[in-house]
Amino acid sequence: EVQLVESGGGLVQPGGSLRISCVGSGFTFGNFAMTWVRQAPGKGLEWVSSISGNGGSTFYTDSVKGRFTISRDNSKNALYLQMNSLRAEDTAVYYCAKDVPYWGDWGQGTLATVSS
Amino acid sequence: EIGMTQSPGTLSVSPGERATLSCRASQSVSNNVAWYQQKDGQAPRLLIFSASIRATGIPARFSGTGSGTDFTLTISSLQSEDFAVYYCQQYNNWPPGAFGQGTKVEIK
């Protein structure tokens, strides 16, 4: 059974940084691309970023380019999202999801709140 | 960038009735559309991919049709557990994988 467990969310001030993580199990982690999708409170789903299985290719939505960095450590079955220069509009539940370009396996999400 | 527009925003349906949800792409996306269900406080759940193929474990009362720009998700006989928000997503031009804004299916 595929399991994805996010962690690292919390409250951060505007302009601050946060790194969230996702650990996967139940599948060969390095064989799959991984993705971050976010959902602002009361809003819809927004694809944020994806990374290839070997980490060699990364993709970002325009609004986070230059501020967010996706990475992975396949030896730890871990996916990361380093979020810098955070804005109020980045406040959301961040879900990790397995594979691309659609997602059948999701974590439970971690909430990142950007507020002073 | 391709946009996905869902209608209606909210659909009020009685248990046992049929629900029909629509999703329109701003340009052709072939059959590269997925549908998701999301309940309050939960992660999304994949229902349909390739416009019409049910994901593993999805009941047969859920069906998807369409190609090009117009897509439909039909729930043939609504059960209590089906009241949720439903999202379509195109992946013909990926990235990004644009989602629609969602349709809320509520109890009438």
Side-chain angles (χ1 to χ4, degrees), chain A residues 39 50 95 101-103 106-107, chain B residues 36 38 42-43 49 87 89 94:
Chain A
Q39 186 170 37
S50 297
Y95 295 102
Y102 56 85
W103 303 287
W106 299 68
Chain B
Y36 301 84
Q38 188 180 33
Q42 297 186 17
F49 61 94
Y87 296 93
Q89 179 227 342
W94 187 95

Side-chain angles (χ1 to χ4, degrees), chain A:
Chain A
E1 178 195 4
V2 171
Q3 287 198 322
L4 299 167
V5 180
E6 300 96 335
S7 61
L11 176 63
V12 61
Q13 292 189 337
S17 298
L18 196 65
R19 188 177 87 154
I20 58 177
S21 304
C22 170
V23 173
S25 60
F27 63 105
T28 304
F29 188 81
N31 286 357
F32 291 90
M34 295 294 293
T35 292
W36 289 101
V37 174
R38 69 183 177 184
Q39 186 170 37
K43 302 297 185 183
L45 301 169
E46 180 186 24
W47 169 79
V48 175
S49 182
S50 297
I51 186 169
S52 61
N54 64 8
S57 297
T58 57
F59 308 90
Y60 300 93
T61 192
D62 285 348
S63 63
V64 309
K65 282 180 183 175
R67 300 189 298 124
F68 289 12
T69 302
I70 191 171
S71 62
R72 63 192 297 161
D73 184 340
N74 288 343
S75 69
K76 297 179 179 179
N77 287 1
L79 173 72
Y80 306 104
L81 188 67
Q82 177 68 45
M83 303 185 289
N84 297 332
S85 303
L86 281 161
R87 307 166 180 167
E89 55 264 35
D90 296 318
T91 294
V93 174
Y94 286 75
Y95 295 102
C96 73
K98 171 176 163 278
D99 215 352
V100 296
Y102 56 85
W103 303 287
D105 296 292
W106 299 68
Q108 84 289 350
T110 189
L111 175 63
T113 303
V114 184
S115 175
S116 55

Side-chain angles (χ1 to χ4, degrees), chain B residues 74-91:
Chain B
T74 301
I75 312 171
S76 60
S77 177
L78 270 159
Q79 307 297 303
S80 58
E81 62 266 30
D82 300 335
F83 293 96
V85 179
Y86 293 83
Y87 296 93
C88 62
Q89 179 227 342
Q90 73 83 19
Y91 53 91

